[in-house]
């Protein structure tokens, strides 16, 4: 069990999302950076869908009341243990009464804290993910607050093996090679359903001109600021299904990139769709960051995703072998 000593900016319990209910108007939610979430779970011996803490920009202060294996992956928010810097992308044995804190955001925007056994919270529609706007999931449907207490789920065989391996060293002497996951500086996109309906100059500007993430951004979506885009002619659109990474153009001509807490349908024209392989890079961006888009085909996007998944499965196998 742990206690929240300081709440941080925006920390929630998330898993991979609440699928199968969009037809009923229920949003998916779930982690923004699925890769950091999965790798953190691999490092502590959990199933990849075990709930983690998604920690945004300015993290909480947490006191552990039992020994636990943890891992922190994703953005670097200066984690520390009892005042000493805490390494990331590694398996770490945390002793009872240890206090973990997060400080300045050095890189990225979101960290994912996994603990052996996963965070034990009630599931709503088969998911532990927090949807703050709907006030359900996670811890009472909200961000973590002062004096909240979180318990951990049941320990698996792999969790126990990691405990045994780290009893003496407390910190693994190796870390995950994560750099390639965030190596691409451009956000790769495919054509959206209404792409051809935009003017030629708008289609050119979308790829040639940079956009900036505004402060009016959250887990629902990133609002961007840049050269306005326009359709060839005004027309009334019916609402259509949207997904993670859908890029809509609002009435003021500015793009919105929809994220995990997106609505289930949207009525704005869709100029593009972010390739799944770049969701982690997108998740680690924050207000003020510049976004440049690059066009790729659906076939290329599928190829890149398959390559990334093979890499993650090799990583998972390698971690299991380290603790076998």
């Amino acid at each position: 069990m742990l206690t929240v000593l300081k709440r941080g900016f925006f920390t929630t319990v998330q898993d991979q999302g609440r699928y199968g209910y969009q037809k009923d108007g229920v949003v998916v939610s779930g982690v923004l950076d699925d890769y950091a979430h999965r790798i953190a779970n691999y490092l502590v011996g959990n199933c990849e869908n075990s709930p983690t803490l998604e920690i945004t920009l300015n993290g909480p202060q947490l006191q552990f009341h039992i020994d636990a294996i943890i891992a922190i992956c994703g953005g670097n928010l200066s984690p520390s243990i009892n005042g000493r810097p805490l390494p990331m992308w590694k398996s770490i044995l945390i002793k009872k009464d240890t206090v973990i804190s997060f400080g300045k955001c050095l890189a990225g925007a979101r960290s994912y804290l996994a603990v052996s056994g996963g965070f034990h919270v009630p599931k709503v529609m088969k998911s532990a993910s927090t949807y703050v706007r709907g006030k359900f999931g996670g811890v009472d449907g909200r961000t973590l607050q002062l004096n909240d207490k979180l318990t951990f789920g049941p320990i698996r065989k792999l969790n126990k093996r990691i405990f045994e391996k780290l009893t003496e060293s407390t910190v693994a002497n190796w870390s995950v090679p994560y750099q390639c996951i965030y190596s691409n500086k451009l956000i790769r996109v495919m054509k959206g359903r209404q792409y051809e309906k935009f003017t030629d100059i708008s289609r050119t500007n979308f790829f040639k001109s940079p956009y900036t993430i505004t402060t009016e951004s959250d887990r629902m979506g990133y609002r961007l600021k840049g050269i306005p885009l326009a359709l060839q002619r005004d027309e009334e659109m019916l609402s259509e299904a949207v997904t993670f990474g859908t890029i809509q153009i609002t009435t003021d001509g500015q793009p919105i990139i929809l994220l995990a807490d997106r609505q289930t349908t949207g009525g704005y024209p869709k100029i593009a769709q972010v390739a799944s392989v770049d969701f982690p890079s997108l998740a680690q961006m924050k207000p003020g960051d510049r976004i440049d888009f690059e066009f790729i085909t659906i076939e290329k996007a599928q190829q890149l995703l398959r390559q990334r998944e093979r890499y993650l499965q090799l990583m998972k196998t390698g971690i299991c072998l380290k603790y076998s």
Side-chain angles (χ1 to χ4, degrees):
M1 185 174 75
L2 64 77
T3 299
V4 178
L5 302 182
K6 176 185 173 184
R7 68 186 184 91
F9 170 63
F10 197 96
T11 302
T12 56
V13 176
Q14 300 289 344
D15 56 22
Q16 290 179 301
R18 189 169 284 108
Y19 288 91
Y21 300 95
Q22 282 190 269
K23 65 183 184 301
D24 302 311
V26 180
V27 304
V28 174
S29 294
V31 292
L32 290 183
D33 185 345
D34 184 58
Y35 291 122
H37 162 85
R38 289 162 67 183
I39 293 169
N41 272 323
Y42 296 158
L43 286 168
V44 300
N46 291 345
C47 298
E48 64 180 31
N49 194 36
S50 295
T52 61
L53 292 185
E54 182 179 86
I55 301 165
T56 305
L57 294 177
N58 186 328
Q61 189 176 71
L62 310 169
Q63 182 175 23
F64 284 73
H65 301 297
I66 61 172
D67 293 355
I69 302 295
I70 71 160
I72 302 172
C73 298
N76 186 349
L77 307 185
S78 304
S80 62
I81 177 171
N82 294 334
R84 301 187 307 275
L86 187 66
M88 297 181 60
W89 304 94
K90 288 188 174 188
S91 308
I92 302 169
L93 174 60
I94 296 295
K95 295 291 189 178
K96 178 183 177 181
D97 296 328
T98 294
V99 174
I100 292 178
S101 302
F102 292 83
K104 184 179 180 181
C105 179
L106 298 179
R110 294 173 175 86
S111 284
Y112 292 83
L113 171 64
V115 62
S116 47
F119 293 98
H120 183 63
V121 297
K123 288 192 174 183
V124 178
M125 288 174 273
K126 303 178 183 178
S127 173
S129 287
T130 309
Y131 178 43
V132 174
R133 277 190 173 86
K135 298 181 180 180
F136 62 84
V139 180
D140 299 330
R142 56 172 173 76
T143 59
L144 294 192
Q145 301 296 317
L146 179 66
N147 295 324
D148 278 348
K149 297 186 185 302
L150 286 172
T151 56
F152 312 144
I155 299 297
R156 306 166 70 212
K157 287 183 179 179
L158 184 54
N159 299 133
K160 291 179 180 178
R161 290 207 300 271
I162 298 175
F163 263 113
E164 293 167 359
K165 291 280 187 178
L166 294 180
T167 298
E168 294 183 4
S169 61
T170 67
V171 178
N173 60 5
W174 54 273
S175 60
V176 167
Y178 64 91
Q179 290 84 351
C180 70
I181 294 175
Y182 305 107
S183 60
N184 194 60
K185 300 302 180 184
L186 298 172
I187 297 300
R188 292 164 288 196
V189 302
M190 299 156 287
K191 293 179 181 178
R193 278 178 58 85
Q194 286 78 40
Y195 177 80
E196 302 296 343
K197 294 187 176 183
F198 285 86
T199 63
D200 291 343
I201 189 64
S202 290
R203 294 197 297 262
T204 298
N205 285 335
F206 181 73
F207 289 108
K208 297 296 184 182
S209 303
Y211 286 86
T212 302
I213 301 175
T214 72
T215 55
E216 295 177 288
S217 300
D218 55 20
R219 280 179 45 87
M220 185 176 179
Y222 288 161
R223 286 186 175 270
L224 307 184
K225 183 70 174 177
I227 295 178
L229 308 177
L231 294 170
Q232 296 173 26
R233 60 178 181 273
D234 292 335
E235 59 180 273
E236 190 171 330
M237 285 185 54
L238 295 175
S239 291
E240 298 177 324
V242 293
T243 188
F244 197 130
T246 296
I247 303 179
Q248 296 182 310
I249 305 301
T250 59
T251 52
D252 62 0
Q254 299 298 329
I256 295 179
I257 307 178
L258 302 183
L259 301 176
D261 285 352
R262 65 197 175 273
Q263 69 276 21
T264 57
T265 61
Y268 291 124
K270 296 176 283 296
I271 193 168
Q273 170 66 43
V274 177
S276 302
V277 72
D278 282 344
F279 288 172
S281 296
L282 195 63
Q284 294 302 337
M285 293 180 170
K286 54 187 177 293
D289 284 352
R290 166 177 165 165
I291 292 185
D292 293 276
F293 297 108
E294 178 184 41
F295 171 75
I296 60 172
T297 63
I298 292 176
E299 292 75 18
K300 182 62 175 179
Q302 291 172 332
Q303 177 191 357
L304 291 168
L305 185 60
R306 285 194 296 267
Q307 290 174 352
R308 177 67 57 76
E309 287 300 315
R310 283 196 294 269
Y311 176 76
L312 282 176
Q313 291 309 308
L314 286 172
M315 189 183 297
K316 179 181 178 181
T317 301
I319 291 170
C320 289
L321 288 174
K322 284 282 187 181
Y323 294 118
S324 61

